[in-house]
Amino acid sequence: MRKQAAHGGDGLADTDRAFHATLYRGVDNVSSSEVPETFRDAFHRGRTGLGGVPQDPWIICGQHREILGAVRSWDAIRAEGAIREHFGNIRARLSTTSPQGPHRGHNERV
């Protein structure tokens, strides 16, 4: 990820996917890996229409390093916080999408 960040993030999405797949592989629950993978696919297909600013590849790299450190140290609270931080940019970008046409945005609360 450091090499990819140094090159502007080229290929980072694939490495991000592999990181999370590896992380979830040890969990004995099919949904724990399939649900995030489905979300990631949808997010990456629709990300061009998202609001906000895409996250800096160096920040993504650092967030993965923090998640990995928490998991390796068996610190569940730290891991949960690191994962929430990592997905925070996605939440922010989803919440800044604007409705298109006369219809509400897909993720706009009614």
Side-chain angles (χ1 to χ4, degrees):
M1 291 191 107
R2 285 190 299 265
K3 289 178 185 177
Q4 291 167 327
H7 291 101
D10 292 337
L12 194 60
D14 291 334
T15 304
D16 179 74
R17 179 181 303 249
F19 174 85
H20 289 282
T22 301
L23 194 63
Y24 297 129
R25 190 178 314 140
V27 178
D28 190 24
N29 181 331
V30 175
S31 294
S32 68
S33 60
E34 287 180 358
V35 170
E37 185 67 20
T38 300
F39 170 77
R40 184 175 312 287
D41 286 344
F43 174 76
H44 285 290
R45 276 196 306 272
R47 71 181 172 194
T48 56
L50 294 178
V53 177
Q55 200 163 30
D56 182 300
W58 286 108
I59 291 174
I60 295 170
C61 185
Q63 289 171 338
H64 282 104
R65 192 175 11 255
E66 177 62 21
I67 293 168
L68 184 58
V71 169
R72 283 182 171 164
S73 66
W74 292 89
D75 187 338
I77 293 171
R78 180 177 155 209
E80 179 182 354
I83 290 169
R84 286 183 185 278
E85 174 70 26
H86 179 54
F87 288 111
N89 179 263
I90 294 171
R91 283 189 198 97
R93 291 183 68 199
L94 288 171
S95 69
T96 59
T97 57
S98 58
Q100 297 180 4
H103 307 287
R104 293 184 178 273
H106 295 290
N107 57 356
E108 187 175 354
R109 291 190 177 140
V110 180

